[in-house]
Amino acid sequence: MVAKPPGFYQRLQLLPLPAQQAFMAALCERLLPNYALYEQTSGHGDGHTLRTVLNLVWERLSVPNASIDFARQAEKLAECEPPEGDESFGARRALDAVVSISALLDTLQGESPEAVLDVSRTSRAGVRAFIELTEGEVDAQALALIIRNHPLMEDENDFQDAVLEAVSGSINKTTLKEIRTLGRNNGISNLGLTLDEEAGAE
């Protein structure tokens, strides 16, 4: 009997830690425009801090002995969460970005074996929630089919596959730069949203 090749999540877990961290960082890049849009529309949030923390992560990935106090960065990040009472869709997607970067920081401060799976699933779940929001009232079975075949979900799956491939080779400064560019996705988030200022800022 031919052994079944490892599935997506199994392949993620088999990656060495620096490759997992690069994968998570790329996905976090793609979540940032959602946070920026929330900040712009609600007046809450601190996208500058999120950007700074993620920049420090990339720095550590390319210079492993860089001295960075990630415990302090985690504290700063916690202050960037949307207000507790805000149950809006935008707030939840902004929280996805904060939680995902926090999970990434956890891996830089010690053992956090589930973090890479959490970030991958958080990004997919955000896409699923967005499709549910835009599709309106349909029964569960029809909705499952819509979600599976939706261009945004196909794009999300293709994107995660592409990042997984990119981090599966040797990781060095050049490949990290490519992975980061891939994650930035021309300023377009996993929900297909963009901030014009963000796209033009780079």
Side-chain angles (χ1 to χ4, degrees):
M1 192 170 148
V2 181
K4 199 175 160 202
F8 180 85
Y9 289 123
Q10 202 181 343
R11 284 178 65 198
L12 264 187
Q13 285 195 295
L14 291 169
L15 289 172
L17 185 58
Q20 290 186 358
Q21 289 165 336
F23 177 89
M24 288 187 273
L27 265 62
C28 289
E29 285 286 350
R30 200 157 167 260
L31 295 175
L32 276 188
N34 296 335
Y35 188 95
L37 277 165
Y38 170 73
E39 184 180 6
Q40 190 185 59
T41 53
S42 71
H44 295 297
D46 180 1
H48 177 71
T49 293
L50 259 70
R51 174 76 274 161
T52 304
V53 172
L54 198 48
N55 286 349
L56 288 171
V57 170
W58 287 112
E59 187 184 328
R60 165 59 75 83
L61 290 178
S62 65
V63 186
N65 57 357
S67 176
I68 297 164
D69 183 352
F70 282 114
R72 176 75 191 103
Q73 298 309 319
E75 285 170 19
K76 286 187 195 172
L77 202 57
E79 291 164 14
C80 298
E81 291 186 7
E84 220 165 275
D86 191 342
E87 289 294 317
S88 68
F89 181 83
R92 290 203 292 272
R93 300 296 72 83
L95 186 62
D96 286 348
V98 178
V99 166
S100 295
I101 299 174
S102 295
L104 174 50
L105 289 188
D106 288 344
T107 68
L108 289 155
Q109 297 179 85
E111 285 294 305
S112 188
E114 293 293 311
V116 71
L117 301 182
D118 291 342
V119 172
S120 170
R121 287 171 179 149
T122 295
S123 185
R124 281 191 223 270
V127 176
R128 194 177 303 116
F130 187 68
I131 297 167
E132 286 174 1
L133 184 76
T134 52
E135 284 303 320
E137 291 295 314
V138 288
D139 70 74
Q141 214 172 350
L143 185 61
L145 200 60
I146 290 167
I147 289 170
R148 201 171 66 216
N149 299 319
H150 197 283
L152 273 179
M153 188 54 85
E154 287 180 353
D155 186 53
E156 174 69 13
N157 292 334
D158 289 346
F159 174 78
Q160 291 206 24
D161 286 343
V163 178
L164 177 57
E165 285 308 316
V167 302
S168 294
S170 67
I171 301 268
N172 53 47
K173 283 188 181 181
T174 308
T175 51
L176 277 171
K177 215 170 172 181
E178 290 165 3
I179 293 160
R180 190 176 189 178
T181 303
L182 181 65
R184 289 201 165 179
N185 201 39
N186 297 318
I188 301 166
S189 81
N190 61 333
L191 308 182
L193 305 175
T194 182
L195 255 194
D196 293 339
E197 301 91 297
E198 172 123 328
E202 290 307 321

